[in-house]
Amino acid sequence: MDSEEQLAGLSPNVWMRQWDSVYELFGRDAFFTSVVGTVVFTSAVFWLINIFFIVLDVTGKPAVLLRYKVQPDKNRPVSSDSLLRAIRVALFNQTVVGGPFVLCLYKALVWRGCGFEPSSLPSYQRALMEMVVFVAVEEIGFYYFHRLLHHPALYKEIHKLHHEWTAPVGVVAIYAHPIEHVLANLVPAVAGPLLMGAHVAMLWLWLGIVIVTTVIHHSGYHFPFMSSPEFHDFHHLKFNNCYGVLGLLDRLHGTDQLFRASASYHRHKVLFSLYPASKLVPDRCQAGKTF
């Protein structure tokens, strides 16, 4: 064990013991772990975080959190009919679309030689390197698939469904046409782990991060100490800007110019105080000014 890991208390044995417990839970069966385990894990993460946002959007309580809404005049409260429709579509995508996709993913994991056993877990250094690749691959895949879906030939029949929500809520993260859900949500998320031949534990860790981040970016709330949703919320508001996740390819292709000229651009940061971003940077402020 490296001295750095000793100092951090990150013994490889801890990493292995934790995954061994999970693997034991699923009968030490690679198929059962990869298929059932992945569906259960991703669904649990998605709905646990969304229960919080659904309660907040429906009841408006605790009221103190409403000050963090990105579009304060929208979804107060959220329409019950619209929310129920979004929930039905999300459940359809998770089960009818996601189920077969995960079956195919298992075949791809086996073909790629991905690990399942605790003994084949990567080192912490390797895990960190893989995460960097996952982020880069998802940014590339999501940006170009997403931008393609805005082409007039595809937008009306496929992507328009997702853009029914100009002020999104958390569950809208997967409120999408099945083709979009596969091309823009699922494929970019799993492409990195497949490319790297990653262990299934790394796949789960990465998918958990992707799900939490995506839900937050659709939540409509810019909470302190959490990832900023301003970038993607602006995309739902204006449609033709901010196609990516990190914004790197938007900057490269110039698809963030409207965003950069807005107050939302200056709000797009992690808040390290309890003061709302909308108060720190009022709507009347424009890019080029000092805040």
Side-chain angles (χ1 to χ4, degrees):
M1 179 171 58
D2 294 336
S3 59
E4 292 84 357
E5 290 179 345
Q6 288 178 327
L7 289 173
L10 297 176
S11 167
N13 291 330
V14 174
W15 181 224
M16 292 177 64
R17 283 199 303 270
Q18 293 299 322
W19 181 250
D20 189 64
S21 298
V22 174
Y23 202 47
E24 176 69 26
L25 180 65
F26 290 98
R28 299 189 177 277
D29 182 271
F31 175 84
F32 197 56
T33 303
S34 299
V35 177
V36 178
T38 300
V39 170
V40 170
F41 173 75
T42 55
S43 297
V45 172
F46 182 84
W47 289 110
L48 283 173
I49 188 172
N50 265 300
I51 286 171
F52 166 76
F53 285 116
I54 289 171
V55 171
L56 180 58
D57 284 324
V58 170
T59 68
K61 296 178 181 179
V64 68
L65 296 181
L66 298 180
R67 67 204 293 249
Y68 297 108
K69 282 185 68 65
V70 178
Q71 299 185 49
D73 58 332
K74 304 290 179 65
N75 298 325
R76 295 187 66 172
V78 66
S79 164
S80 297
D81 290 341
S82 297
L83 180 60
L84 287 173
R85 173 171 163 76
I87 290 173
R88 286 196 297 268
V89 172
L91 287 170
F92 178 88
N93 280 333
Q94 281 186 321
T95 55
V96 179
V97 178
F101 183 87
V102 173
L103 283 170
C104 295
L105 176 61
Y106 168 71
K107 296 292 186 182
L109 292 171
V110 173
W111 169 80
R112 185 62 184 85
C114 297
F116 301 95
E117 298 283 348
S119 59
S120 59
L121 282 165
S123 66
Y124 293 116
Q125 294 88 342
R126 169 75 185 190
L128 180 61
M129 183 269 289
E130 287 183 355
M131 279 292 179
V132 172
V133 174
F134 298 169
V135 170
V137 170
E138 193 209 16
E139 174 72 3
I140 294 169
F142 181 75
Y143 179 88
Y144 290 111
F145 275 133
H146 187 193
R147 193 169 178 185
L148 177 65
L149 289 170
H150 276 263
H151 188 280
L154 299 175
Y155 180 82
K156 183 177 180 181
E157 299 299 327
I158 299 177
H159 195 45
K160 186 177 180 180
L161 176 66
H162 187 66
H163 273 285
E164 288 177 0
W165 291 78
T166 55
V169 295
V171 73
V172 172
I174 57 173
Y175 177 73
H177 188 285
I179 293 176
E180 174 180 351
H181 185 52
V182 172
L183 292 181
N185 295 336
L186 299 180
V187 170
V190 304
L194 283 174
L195 176 67
M196 298 301 294
H199 194 282
V200 173
M202 286 297 298
L203 172 67
W204 283 21
L205 177 60
W206 168 241
L207 291 180
I209 293 171
V210 169
I211 292 167
V212 171
T213 303
T214 305
V215 171
I216 290 172
H217 288 179
H218 285 85
S219 70
Y221 292 91
H222 190 167
F223 288 134
F225 312 108
M226 294 177 65
S227 179
S228 167
E230 302 282 351
F231 186 80
H232 194 70
D233 197 277
F234 192 85
H235 173 74
H236 275 263
L237 184 64
K238 299 298 184 181
F239 293 84
N240 60 354
N241 255 230
C242 308
Y243 296 104
V245 178
L246 301 176
L248 299 176
L249 290 175
D250 285 281
R251 181 69 64 88
L252 176 65
H253 293 290
T255 51
D256 64 349
Q257 293 181 356
L258 189 61
F259 175 67
R260 286 165 55 78
S262 72
S264 298
Y265 172 72
H266 293 277
R267 297 177 187 142
H268 186 50
K269 59 188 69 177
V270 176
L271 298 176
F272 291 103
S273 76
L274 300 180
Y275 207 63
S278 59
K279 302 298 183 184
L280 289 170
V281 184
D283 285 334
R284 64 180 180 274
C285 296
Q286 299 296 320
K289 295 186 178 181
T290 302
F291 301 101

